[in-house]
Amino acid sequence: MAEKERINPMMRRPIVQEDIVHFLRTRQKQTAGELGRVASEAREKGVPIIPHETAVFLEFFLKQIKPKNVLEIGAAIGFSSSLMANCLPENSHVTTIDRYDMMIAAAKKTYERLNLQEKVTLLEGEAVDILSTLPSDTYDFVFMDSAKSKYIVFLPDILRIMKRGAVLMVDDIFQAGDVLKDIQDIKRNQRAIHRGLNQFFDAVIEHPQLTSTILPLGDGVILITKDDDEIILPKI
Ligand SMILES: C[S@@+](CC[C@H](N)C(=O)[O-])C[C@H]1O[C@@H](n2cnc3c(N)ncnc32)[C@H](O)[C@@H]1O
């Protein structure tokens, strides 16, 4: 079994037909140049980076909205942060967070390799601690791709640091469909993720000050816009 599948067993259970996933991954324009090589090496080694269909969407979307300040939670080896940095206007900046030493070292190498040290800032440490230190009303786009059970914990600070009109994109929201099952049918070691993701859905999907849309890319993504200056979240 590939290492990435061991880390994320959901990768073996696509949420759309397998032949469609194959088409999305092979027929859409492949990531070019050195960044393409970073992606291929990561996938060969089983490093959990965003799947190709999500990368294609991310690039397309960022080229449309042209965010000035981007924040990512979950850098890993720096693939998605580099992809974002590469497709942003000259004066834009990407800040990314990771807490895992091995990933931090690998991400730094990737930024050097792609000559992106000026365009990407890597903040090292636990996201919940770092998020609380970031200034309010700062980011135009936030990409959350880290511990799934913590998305609901990060949400208040993320909404605080997003500008009004900014977009939050959250990766891996379906756990191959397990999030939709009764929690009693979920393995005990997966229940925190199940609970956290369902709390996250309850907090955002019908929120009157947020607009969201769910896309079946990879293991599912949700995009959320902040429609007001201050978002009042329900108590969990
Ligand atoms: C799926 S990988 C990110 C992949 C990356 N976005 C890409 O596509 O190139 C998730 C990363 O989030 C980091 N992470 C998970 N929980 C975190 C937390 N609470 N604080 C900081 N980093 C976290 C992990 O160390 C891991 O490197």
Side-chain angles (χ1 to χ4, degrees), residues 6-128:
R6 190 186 62 72
I7 294 165
N8 182 4
M10 303 307 153
M11 295 193 70
R12 294 195 304 279
R13 296 162 53 204
I15 61 167
V16 293
Q17 272 175 235
E18 277 190 60
D19 53 347
I20 303 290
V21 174
H22 182 72
F23 181 91
L24 296 175
R25 291 187 184 170
T26 57
R27 288 295 300 279
Q28 299 195 92
K29 199 194 279 178
Q30 298 301 300
T31 311
E34 198 61 16
L35 183 61
R37 283 187 278 283
V38 169
S40 306
E41 289 164 16
R43 294 196 177 108
E44 270 160 31
K45 288 185 198 151
V47 177
I49 62 168
I50 49 170
H52 185 59
E53 63 274 25
T54 307
V56 169
F57 172 79
L58 195 54
E59 179 174 353
F60 180 91
F61 187 63
L62 291 194
K63 283 181 176 171
Q64 297 303 310
I65 65 167
K66 301 179 178 63
K68 196 167 174 346
N69 283 316
V70 171
L71 177 71
E72 175 183 71
I73 302 119
I77 58 145
F79 169 68
S80 51
S81 46
S82 298
L83 175 94
M84 293 192 281
N86 267 347
C87 66
L88 291 179
E90 199 51 44
N91 61 347
S92 297
H93 195 83
V94 177
T95 302
T96 184
I97 300 173
D98 212 293
R99 65 178 173 187
Y100 185 25
D101 292 355
M102 262 174 61
M103 292 299 188
I104 290 167
K108 285 181 180 166
K109 278 196 188 141
T110 299
Y111 304 140
E112 262 177 52
R113 189 172 159 183
L114 298 168
N115 205 13
L116 287 170
Q117 300 100 312
E118 299 286 303
K119 208 137 192 219
V120 182
T121 301
L122 175 58
L123 302 177
E124 303 172 22
E126 169 56 48
V128 79

Side-chain angles (χ1 to χ4, degrees), residues 128-236:
V128 79
D129 301 331
I130 293 174
L131 286 169
S132 67
T133 67
L134 299 177
S136 302
D137 299 320
T138 301
Y139 296 94
D140 307 286
F141 181 76
V142 179
F143 181 50
M144 184 148 69
D145 186 19
S146 57
K148 319 303 160 208
S149 60
K150 295 281 177 65
Y151 288 169
I152 184 67
V153 178
F154 300 158
L155 187 63
D157 261 321
I158 287 178
L159 291 170
R160 176 185 62 76
I161 64 180
M162 283 166 71
K163 289 182 193 158
R164 183 182 184 151
V167 177
L168 165 62
M169 175 169 163
V170 184
D171 197 28
D172 292 331
I173 59 167
F174 281 135
Q175 295 292 288
D178 282 358
V179 277
L180 314 178
K181 293 182 185 165
D182 192 297
I183 196 157
Q184 300 310 323
D185 298 329
I186 301 296
K187 284 188 195 150
R188 283 189 185 277
N189 65 359
Q190 296 290 316
R191 287 189 185 170
I193 297 179
H194 181 283
R195 204 172 293 116
L197 284 171
N198 276 289
Q199 286 171 339
F200 186 82
F201 291 157
D202 291 345
V204 298
I205 290 178
E206 295 196 59
H207 196 292
Q209 299 170 291
L210 303 171
T211 305
S212 59
T213 181
I214 294 174
L215 303 176
L217 295 168
D219 189 42
V221 304
I222 183 167
L223 285 102
I224 302 155
T225 55
K226 179 177 167 180
D227 294 334
D228 261 325
D229 290 322
E230 200 181 329
I231 308 298
I232 317 276
L233 287 172
K235 288 223 160 39
I236 305 166

